[in-house]
């Protein structure tokens, strides 16, 4: 065989072996066959280089000795895999053993993040005492020369490494290369990884002390990412982001807010609410003042119309918690300042009407006289048709809250009940039409009863298939005594997977005991795919049912067992009981070893180190028929030990 053919055969065998390692365990025939082929092709290559194979890697090519290989996809794929594991050069000596080769493959195929966490391939191989394979690692400058999404992964894990070492020179280098990932920062990713969050805190402290301009730029980008994540709304999440932004000045915060208002089409009232919660209330007045200064310095007639429209949209609706009074007044001032002397006054009828409705409601809130209150309610009723056309659920919610507050003093008025009745009727009609609004939660929780009967809901859900979390939540709230009919309809439609999936998706967004009960009922009706989907949906609920889940651990289906264990693991007591059930299986002559293999695999995939004692017990089992089971348990234990060291 010619040299170029031998080179190609070797790298092809290397790629196949790595792929097989990711799919099979080391005792699988396919994996053993690929290793044997790799060994054979490597030995043939030693004929052209009798002492060792010298292989270099760039981001898209391989150097074999002094020869560059880049034309074929095979070489580019292998090069990319090694390059993004920080491997610059690889030396394989002719004295390498097959055991060393297999161990090397198992380590090089670890996920990048695991390799970085353990100090890199070179450090891992040193611990394994693989003497016939040497690795030269890339340095920072070489590693950050690549392109694509991988750069963000590399940059963030290098940041963790620099933080762990307390290495300011590495921090400086990462700061110099921050432009590579500046636009890829994701606030949700940062706060969902405690270790990464701490690394960013250290990095931001470094920037704040040494490179203030970069700190401001980086922090503003993180804030903009947080503002775009409408699901970042819990106090816990805000508390994780705020320390990263605490050194931004009022001017920096104001300029960030102005940039979002004027350039980001997705910036809305919810975004404004997030901004307010990311900054301390004591700062709001100064930020608002600075915002006005920013406007005065940057205002331009060019985008005047668009900015005016955007601010009007932000100010629409009632003075809700979305935008505080301080910011509302500032935006009103900016809106006035945008108008030029020669600009013709144009009356926005819709805007004027909305303000009129707000005035009526504010007057009703403050009115103490019964007769005057009745007159104001009548005026709202006279405008009702126009009010409904705007479909402003926030305003309707404010009406309901006002009526609720004044119930004691005004409940004797007929038009009080008329307004409440048509308000609730409209909202429930909107819910049944499948509309979506966060304010529906308030109405469902605060309405005393439904304006419809149970059959209207059942028809909507099972005949018209209009299914939203709000329709289901309203049915469960108002018609708890009719769950039997709901389940009867479920049973009749149990063969309709599309319908069941829609219901499951909506139930996953309703954290209530009724949701759990309904999901368990759907589980009994559906096939394996539906059962799996119901278990995944249960992960979004705070409650779970141990009596329902424990029997699933004894079923044959691997995925169902895994999902049941995930749910049980949320409580320490349930988790340990689940482990006892999974590993108490008796396996006479190894007849039940397949089941135990599956359980070990689940523990491995979920990284459940609290199962250590159970795996140690399996690793000690005697007799030849338990050899594979022993090896499987030992491999997982070894993996955990390497991670700790």
């Amino acid at each position: 065989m010619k040299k170029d053919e031998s080179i190609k055969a070797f790298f092809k065998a290397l790629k196949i072996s790595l792929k097989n390692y990711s799919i099979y365990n080391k005792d699988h025939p396919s994996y053993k066959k690929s290793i044997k082929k790799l060994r054979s092709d490597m030995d043939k290559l030693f004929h052209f280089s009798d002492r060792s194979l010298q292989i270099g890697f760039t981001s898209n090519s391989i150097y074999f000795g002094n020869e560059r290989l880049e034309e074929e996809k095979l070489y580019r794929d292998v090069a990319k895999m090694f390059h993004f594991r920080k491997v610059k050069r690889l030396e394989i000596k002719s004295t390498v053993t097959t055991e060393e080769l297999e161990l090397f493959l198992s380590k090089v195929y670890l996920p990048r993040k695991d390799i970085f966490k353990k100090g890199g391939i070179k450090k891992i191989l040193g611990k394994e005492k693989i003497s016939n394979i040497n690795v030269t690692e890339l340095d920072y400058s070489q590693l950050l020369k690549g392109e694509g999404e991988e750069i963000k992964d590399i940059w963030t894990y290098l940041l963790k490494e620099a933080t762990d070492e307390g290495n300011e020179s590495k921090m400086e280098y990462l700061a110099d290369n921050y432009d590579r990932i500046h636009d890829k920062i994701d606030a949700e990713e940062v706060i969902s990884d405690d270790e990464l969050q701490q690394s960013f805190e250290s990095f931001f402290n470094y920037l704040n002390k040494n490179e203030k301009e970069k700190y401001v730029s980086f922090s503003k980008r993180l804030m903009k990412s947080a503002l775009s994540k409408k699901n970042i709304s819990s106090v816990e999440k805000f508390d994780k982001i705020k320390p990263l932004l605490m050194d931004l000045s009022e001017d920096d915060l104001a300029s960030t807010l102005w940039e979002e208002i004027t350039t980001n089409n997705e910036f809305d009232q919810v975004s404004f609410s997030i901004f307010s919660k990311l900054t301390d209330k004591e700062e709001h007045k100064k930020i608002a003042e600075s915002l006005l200064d920013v406007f005065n310095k940057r205002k331009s007639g060019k985008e005047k119309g668009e900015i005016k429209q955007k601010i009007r949209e932000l100010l629409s609706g009632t003075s809700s918690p979305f935008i505080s009074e301080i910011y509302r007044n500032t935006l009103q001032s900016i809106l006035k300042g945008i108008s030029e002397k020669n600009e013709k006054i144009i009356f926005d009828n819709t805007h004027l009407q909305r303000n009129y409705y707000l005035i009526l409601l504010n007057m009703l809130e403050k009115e103490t006289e019964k007769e005057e209150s009745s007159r104001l309610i009548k005026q709202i009723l006279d405008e009702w048709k126009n009010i409904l056309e705007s479909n402003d659920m926030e305003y309707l919610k404010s009406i309901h809250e006002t009526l609720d507050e004044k119930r004691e003093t005004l409940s004797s008025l007929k038009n009080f009940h008329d307004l409440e009745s048509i308000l609730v009727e409209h909202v429930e009609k909107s819910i049944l039409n499948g509309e979506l609004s966060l304010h529906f939660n308030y109405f469902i929780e605060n309405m005393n009863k439904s304006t419809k009967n149970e059959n209207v809901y059942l028809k909507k859900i099972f005949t018209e298939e209009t299914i939203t979390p709000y329709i289901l939540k309203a049915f469960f709230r108002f018609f708890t005594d009719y769950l039997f009919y709901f389940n009867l309809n479920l049973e009749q439609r149990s063969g309709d997977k599309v319908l069941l999936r829609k219901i499951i998706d909506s139930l996953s967004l309703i954290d209530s005991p009724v949701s759990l009960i309904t999901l368990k009922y759907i589980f009994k009706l559906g096939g394996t795919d539906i059962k799996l989907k119901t278990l995944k949906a249960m992960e979004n609920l705070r409650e779970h049912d141990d009596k329902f889940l424990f029997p699933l651990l004894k079923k044959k289906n691997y995925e169902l067992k895994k999902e049941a264990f995930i749910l049980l693991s949320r409580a320490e007591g349930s988790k340990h009981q689940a482990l006892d059930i999974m590993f108490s299986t008796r396996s006479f002559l190894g007849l039940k070893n397949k089941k135990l293999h599956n359980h070990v695999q689940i523990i491995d995939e979920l990284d459940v180190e609290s199962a250590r004692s159970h795996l140690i017990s399996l690793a000690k089992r005697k007799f030849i028929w338990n050899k594979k089971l022993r090896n499987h348990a030992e491999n997982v234990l070894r993996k955990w030990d390497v991670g700790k060291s």
Side-chain angles (χ1 to χ4, degrees):
M1 186 182 285
K2 295 179 181 179
K3 183 179 179 180
D4 58 342
E5 292 175 348
S6 293
I7 292 171
K8 186 174 181 179
F10 166 73
F11 283 110
K12 186 176 180 181
L14 175 61
K15 184 178 178 181
I16 291 171
S17 295
L18 285 166
K19 182 180 179 182
N20 285 349
Y21 177 79
S22 70
I23 300 172
Y24 308 113
N25 63 54
K26 67 178 186 177
D27 294 316
H28 194 280
S30 295
Y31 176 70
K32 286 185 173 181
K33 183 180 177 182
S34 64
I35 287 293
K36 188 176 180 181
K37 181 74 166 60
L38 176 61
R39 177 82 235 193
S40 172
D41 288 334
M42 185 173 64
D43 288 340
K44 290 174 186 175
L45 203 51
F46 279 126
H47 291 306
F48 303 99
S49 180
D50 57 352
R51 292 187 178 181
S52 66
L53 304 180
Q54 300 287 339
I55 306 167
F57 301 99
T58 70
S59 60
N60 58 8
S61 64
I62 293 173
Y63 282 88
F64 185 80
N66 295 321
E67 186 179 351
R68 184 170 184 172
L69 312 172
E70 61 178 347
E71 296 300 322
E72 296 191 33
K73 185 176 182 294
L74 165 66
Y75 300 133
R76 293 196 298 273
D77 289 347
V78 174
K80 187 176 182 181
M81 197 207 74
F82 278 93
H83 178 75
F84 285 112
R85 282 164 173 77
K86 292 179 66 178
V87 178
K88 179 182 179 181
R89 190 173 293 109
L90 180 64
E91 179 192 20
I92 305 176
K93 297 178 182 178
S94 57
T95 50
V96 67
T97 65
T98 302
E99 289 73 20
E100 284 180 312
L101 191 61
E102 286 192 67
L103 188 54
F104 170 72
L105 293 179
S106 71
K107 301 307 174 187
V108 84
Y109 202 81
L110 287 170
R112 282 197 309 269
K113 63 179 181 180
D114 291 342
I115 292 172
F116 292 161
K117 281 181 179 178
K118 293 171 184 177
I121 286 289
K122 188 171 183 177
K123 197 170 184 179
I124 293 171
L125 297 184
K127 288 178 181 176
E128 296 292 343
K129 297 180 180 178
I130 302 175
S131 58
N132 289 303
I133 300 178
N134 296 322
V135 165
T136 304
E137 289 187 311
L138 287 161
D139 62 28
Y140 280 70
S141 58
Q142 291 170 311
L143 199 61
L144 290 175
K145 283 179 181 176
E147 298 293 338
E149 189 65 20
E150 295 90 350
I151 291 298
K152 184 179 76 172
D153 294 335
I154 291 166
W155 193 96
T156 51
Y157 283 106
L158 290 178
L159 173 62
K160 287 183 179 181
E161 191 174 276
T163 304
D164 290 342
E165 295 174 8
N167 191 321
E168 288 212 351
S169 63
K170 288 185 178 181
M171 287 276 194
E172 182 182 1
Y173 187 81
L174 288 169
D176 290 341
N177 285 273
Y178 89 109
D179 57 307
R180 306 300 310 281
I181 59 106
H182 180 267
D183 294 329
K184 298 183 177 71
I185 297 176
D186 188 303
E188 186 72 24
E189 287 181 17
V190 173
I191 63 175
S192 62
D193 182 336
D194 290 339
E195 191 179 346
L196 183 58
Q197 182 205 343
Q198 290 168 9
S199 296
F200 263 91
E201 282 189 36
S202 299
F203 182 59
F204 277 17
N205 287 335
Y206 168 82
L207 289 179
N208 193 35
K209 290 177 184 175
N210 300 283
E211 304 196 47
K212 187 71 177 180
E213 191 175 323
K214 288 181 180 176
Y215 166 74
V216 172
S217 176
F218 229 136
S219 299
K220 286 174 71 172
R221 179 68 190 88
L222 182 68
M223 172 167 266
K224 288 180 180 182
S225 173
L227 297 181
S228 70
K229 303 287 182 182
K230 305 297 168 68
N231 58 334
I232 294 181
S233 55
S234 68
V235 174
E236 182 186 0
K237 289 183 177 180
F238 287 130
D239 288 344
K240 286 186 175 183
I241 297 177
K242 285 176 76 171
L244 299 172
L245 308 171
M246 63 186 297
D247 292 310
L248 283 174
S249 68
E250 286 87 1
D251 290 344
D252 295 327
L253 292 165
S255 65
T256 304
L257 180 57
W258 182 250
E259 287 162 15
E260 287 294 278
I261 290 172
T262 56
T263 63
N264 185 358
N265 293 332
E266 301 299 319
F267 186 84
D268 57 16
Q269 292 176 332
V270 178
S271 308
F272 215 127
S273 172
I274 294 171
F275 177 86
S276 298
K277 290 172 183 175
L278 288 175
T279 53
D280 294 329
K281 286 185 178 179
E282 297 77 20
E283 295 181 298
H284 288 184
K285 186 176 180 182
K286 289 182 179 178
I287 295 170
E289 290 171 356
S290 184
L291 184 66
L292 200 54
D293 290 338
V294 171
F295 161 70
N296 289 327
K297 290 173 184 175
R298 301 189 186 185
K299 65 178 179 178
S300 162
K302 219 173 178 182
E303 306 90 6
K304 176 180 54 184
E306 293 177 11
I307 295 172
K308 183 188 291 188
Q309 181 59 32
K310 183 62 173 284
I311 293 176
R312 281 178 174 170
E313 288 173 6
L314 291 172
L315 289 171
S316 65
T318 61
S319 51
S320 68
F322 284 128
I323 301 179
S324 68
E325 199 62 32
I326 292 171
Y327 288 122
R328 181 174 289 277
N329 292 337
T330 302
L331 291 177
Q332 290 281 16
S333 298
I334 290 173
L335 197 58
K336 290 176 185 176
I338 290 175
S339 300
E340 296 179 352
K341 290 181 182 178
N342 298 327
E343 186 179 2
K344 292 181 180 178
I345 298 175
I346 299 172
F347 290 99
D348 183 339
N349 191 50
T350 303
H351 193 65
L352 289 172
Q353 276 187 323
R354 184 178 287 114
N355 284 336
Y356 173 59
Y357 305 151
L358 291 173
I359 290 168
L360 287 177
L361 186 59
N362 288 333
M363 289 174 68
L364 179 61
E365 284 176 1
K366 293 171 183 173
E367 186 55 59
T368 56
E369 295 295 326
K370 206 174 205 180
E371 188 176 334
E372 185 60 23
S373 294
S374 179
R375 187 185 67 78
L376 288 167
I377 291 174
K378 182 180 182 305
Q379 283 183 267
I380 293 174
L381 285 168
D382 290 342
E383 294 291 333
W384 193 247
K385 184 179 178 182
N386 294 327
I387 289 171
L388 292 188
E389 283 180 1
S390 68
N391 200 31
D392 187 344
M393 282 295 162
E394 189 182 356
Y395 180 71
L396 297 182
K397 177 190 171 190
S398 296
I399 293 177
H400 193 274
E401 287 174 331
T402 302
L403 294 177
D404 213 34
E405 286 172 8
K406 292 184 163 287
R407 190 173 300 279
E408 279 189 31
T409 56
L410 301 181
S411 59
S412 60
L413 297 175
K414 181 181 181 301
N415 60 9
F416 174 90
H417 294 288
D418 290 342
L419 178 56
E420 184 178 39
S421 177
I422 61 172
L423 167 60
V424 170
E425 187 176 359
H426 172 75
V427 171
E428 192 165 18
K429 182 181 176 183
S430 299
I431 291 172
L432 285 165
N433 284 339
E435 294 178 27
L436 301 173
S437 170
L438 291 173
H439 299 300
F440 287 157
N441 283 322
Y442 164 82
F443 285 107
I444 293 168
E445 290 164 8
N446 289 278
M447 285 162 53
N448 293 324
K449 61 180 181 178
S450 171
T451 63
K452 313 292 180 185
N453 64 43
E454 73 282 359
N455 291 319
V456 173
Y457 277 84
L458 292 173
K459 182 181 177 183
K460 276 285 180 184
I461 296 166
F462 293 102
T463 304
E464 298 177 23
E465 297 188 16
T466 305
I467 301 165
T468 69
Y470 302 112
I471 290 177
L472 296 182
K473 190 172 184 179
F475 180 84
F476 296 150
R477 163 83 166 80
F478 302 126
F479 304 107
T480 309
D481 295 339
Y482 293 88
L483 280 177
F484 170 78
Y485 295 105
F486 186 91
N487 291 339
L488 189 63
N489 276 274
L490 275 176
E491 193 173 338
Q492 291 171 348
R493 299 292 300 278
S494 61
D496 190 340
K497 290 184 179 181
V498 175
L499 177 76
L500 293 182
R501 287 193 184 103
K502 285 182 181 178
I503 293 174
I504 293 168
D505 286 337
S506 289
L507 288 171
S508 71
L509 299 172
I510 309 170
D511 189 5
S512 73
V514 180
S515 289
L516 181 59
I517 292 168
T518 309
L519 285 170
K520 288 193 295 182
Y521 192 79
I522 294 173
F523 181 93
K524 294 175 183 177
L525 297 175
T528 303
D529 56 338
I530 293 296
K531 291 181 188 297
L532 190 59
K533 191 170 180 63
T534 58
L535 292 178
K536 288 182 180 293
M538 288 178 191
E539 290 181 28
N540 294 323
L541 311 182
R542 278 173 291 184
E543 294 186 26
H544 67 262
D545 184 345
D546 287 2
K547 289 182 180 179
F548 166 72
L549 294 170
F550 280 133
L552 300 182
L553 298 175
K554 298 179 181 180
K555 300 291 183 182
K556 289 185 179 181
N557 187 280
Y558 177 84
E559 292 298 330
L560 291 180
K561 280 200 280 193
K562 182 179 175 181
E563 286 301 321
F565 182 78
I566 288 172
L567 288 164
L568 288 163
S569 294
R570 298 191 299 181
E572 280 298 308
S574 301
K575 178 170 73 173
H576 289 295
Q577 194 174 342
L579 290 172
D580 290 340
I581 291 172
M582 291 166 69
F583 292 103
S584 62
T585 302
R586 293 186 177 183
S587 184
F588 180 68
L589 297 177
L591 295 176
K592 296 289 182 69
N593 277 7
K594 184 177 179 181
K595 179 186 283 189
L596 289 168
H597 272 294
N598 284 341
H599 295 169
V600 174
Q601 186 66 27
I602 289 171
I603 298 309
D604 185 17
E605 288 179 13
L606 299 177
D607 201 22
V608 186
E609 288 204 46
S610 51
R612 181 178 287 273
S613 61
H614 294 285
L615 296 194
I616 290 173
S617 178
L618 292 182
K620 290 180 179 178
R621 289 199 177 185
K622 299 178 181 180
F623 307 115
I624 189 67
W625 52 81
N626 289 322
K627 182 181 178 183
K628 289 183 180 180
L629 185 60
R630 285 198 302 270
N631 289 342
H632 196 176
E634 286 169 357
N635 286 340
V636 177
L637 290 167
R638 193 179 299 115
K639 177 181 170 183
W640 290 342
D641 291 338
V642 169
K644 282 187 176 181
S645 63

